Amino acid sequence: MTDTMRASLLGQIATYCESNAVPGFVAGVFHDGEQVVAAHGTANVATGAPMLADTGFLYGSVTKVLTTTLVLQQVERGVLDLDAPVVTYLPEFALAVPGTAERILVRHLISHTNGIDADLYFPGDGGRDALKAYVAGLAEGHGVLFAPGEQASYSNGGMIVAGRLLEVVTGVSFPELLARDVYGPAGMTGSSSSAEEAILRSTAVGHFIDPETTEARPTGMFTLPATWGPAGGTPIGTVPDLLAFGRTHLDGGVSPDGTRVLSAESTALMRTVAFDMESPNVPPLGMGWVIYPYGDTTVHAMSGASPGGVSILCVVPEHGLVFAAFGNTPSAMLLQDQLLTWLLREHLGVEIPPLLTEVEDDVDLAPYAGIYRSDQLRIDVAVIDGQLEETVTYEPADASQERIFTAFAGGATAAPPQRYVPIRPGLFAPAGYPLDAFDGYLRLLLVSYHDVRDGRARFRNGGGRLTRRS
């Protein structure tokens, strides 16, 4: 597999990067006992450093699977109970609406069913007490989008609270715990949790496309604040490290060198559906993993955005395959989708049926028009020419959070209006895309609306995140 796979990966990577101004990309595949990593291009256009097989990068939200692994380790040791309220262990945990935090269980934190409305809450660094400061800040102005367990919404806040919970019950800081109980046992020798450590190795930075020159420029912010560590703000590592972690989950919690990292039962629990929104754009959620059906094959995946970069980790248990990749512009997500689809179809022979086969005519659009909000995010939805037009605006709570968000997003606080065409009641696709574009990972670009009451939808779901009608 090795030589042929590397040549195929490099060919697709080079073609895409050169056509789409992606400076650098690295991808790896493990299958049937063989592993290959292919790297192309530049890790940092400011220095000209090459992207290498062992170049480090920010994991972004792939970290959430690592955080979940840490939580379940403590469950196995009898330190945590998934069905206990978080306040049992973290009594200072509170939200702006009295009585809501007390209903959130430990399992809700790692299954994205907690409802905490803090997805864009970016408090400052906080130093060693960063996670303690984050939890304290939740009580000052953050409520819930829904009652715990009632819905699912991709939750940075839940993972960060889980990270603080781990610190309290173990007495060890989250970065130290991650290094001790995941990086070390899983064989992730190139992983760290700070820029100071990462700079000692070859490390890539993210880039954004300059709208005037159409050239890639390096991000002005390498990591997010330490307050975002457990959700993906600071952990850094390599594609071989992610493959080692993926192989650990592929092999029932045993790392490539034979070290037991997690029990087979906990590994299986992470891959078990915890909540299903029953909408094509929102794959079922496990604990840590997002569970993508590709026909009869299941891909357990997590992708991660960082300032100007995107990562992905996928485990395909039925075929014994692990795929990991990083690209240093946001558009590299399309290449990750392309490579994953190619691996499934061409390498594994998986049949991927169309996700969307029919488009309904005469869908009533009135229930979906309105204003939807979540923490510091406003989405205006209007009906125009038989389509929905959405305008997404970031509304920063203060100057500090605006600085962090705009650096993370490449400088913008609002996106241009986007038109959506109806597929069926409650489900919409961005205009101009062929339906087969959504068969793979890009199904996340679809938008759905949920819980229609009295002719009005209560929730909008985009990218797995809920906003609530205001």
Side-chain angles (χ1 to χ4, degrees), residues 11-238:
Q12 294 182 71
I13 291 169
T15 298
Y16 184 92
C17 289
E18 290 160 14
S19 299
N20 295 277
V22 177
F25 193 91
V26 56
V29 177
F30 171 84
H31 185 228
D32 281 346
E34 294 185 291
Q35 182 166 303
V36 60
V37 179
H40 170 84
T42 305
N44 183 342
V45 299
T47 65
M51 186 76 83
L52 304 172
D54 61 351
T55 293
F57 51 87
L58 277 162
Y59 285 153
S61 287
V62 172
T63 303
K64 292 178 171 66
V65 192
L66 280 64
T67 300
T68 303
T69 298
L70 288 170
V71 170
L72 289 180
Q73 286 176 340
Q74 297 306 317
V75 171
E76 291 178 5
R77 295 164 189 169
V79 176
L80 291 174
D81 181 347
L82 286 175
D83 293 311
V86 174
V87 294
T88 303
Y89 312 100
L90 195 61
E92 65 268 33
F93 173 49
L95 296 169
V97 180
T100 54
E102 290 78 1
R103 297 176 59 192
I104 296 175
L105 308 181
V106 174
R107 68 169 61 249
H108 292 143
L109 297 179
I110 55 177
S111 61
H112 302 282
T113 55
N114 52 78
I116 299 170
D117 188 11
D119 205 50
L120 295 179
Y121 174 42
F122 290 97
D125 196 278
R128 188 174 177 85
D129 291 327
L131 304 188
K132 181 178 181 181
Y134 182 95
V135 170
L138 288 178
E140 297 174 5
H142 297 273
V144 292
L145 288 165
F146 51 83
E150 178 186 85
Q151 304 273 0
S153 182
Y154 187 87
S155 177
N156 289 306
M159 287 291 172
I160 298 170
V161 173
R164 177 56 184 160
L165 176 65
L166 288 164
E167 290 186 332
V168 170
V169 300
T170 64
V172 179
S173 73
F174 179 80
E176 293 170 329
L177 190 66
L178 187 60
R180 187 191 75 185
D181 288 358
V182 172
Y183 291 165
M188 301 171 71
T189 57
S191 293
S192 60
S193 295
S194 72
E196 290 79 7
E197 294 173 279
I199 202 171
L200 300 176
R201 304 183 177 96
S202 170
T203 305
V205 301
H207 298 76
F208 294 100
I209 302 302
D210 188 312
E212 295 184 0
T213 67
T214 68
E215 295 179 350
R217 55 176 174 81
T219 175
M221 179 176 67
F222 177 48
T223 68
L224 287 169
T227 45
W228 266 54
T234 56
I236 301 153
T238 66

Side-chain angles (χ1 to χ4, degrees), residues 285-335:
L285 293 165
M287 290 191 177
W289 294 110
V290 181
I291 303 169
Y292 288 83
Y294 283 80
D296 294 331
T297 296
T298 301
V299 175
H300 300 86
M302 180 55 73
S303 60
S306 54
V310 285
S311 63
I312 192 169
L313 173 64
C314 303
V315 175
V316 190
E318 292 112 309
H319 295 274
L321 183 138
V322 182
F323 168 62
F326 170 78
N328 57 4
T329 65
S331 66
M333 182 181 72
L334 298 174
L335 177 55

Side-chain angles (χ1 to χ4, degrees), residues 245-324:
F245 181 78
R247 290 173 62 184
T248 299
H249 276 266
L250 187 67
D251 292 334
V254 177
S255 74
D257 73 0
T259 301
R260 170 67 67 183
V261 179
L262 197 65
S263 71
E265 293 77 13
S266 293
T267 306
L269 180 62
M270 287 179 64
R271 300 203 303 243
T272 301
V273 174
F275 200 96
D276 189 352
M277 293 289 287
E278 300 182 345
S279 183
N281 63 313
V282 189
L285 293 165
M287 290 191 177
W289 294 110
V290 181
I291 303 169
Y292 288 83
Y294 283 80
D296 294 331
T297 296
T298 301
V299 175
H300 300 86
M302 180 55 73
S303 60
S306 54
V310 285
S311 63
I312 192 169
L313 173 64
C314 303
V315 175
V316 190
E318 292 112 309
H319 295 274
L321 183 138
V322 182
F323 168 62

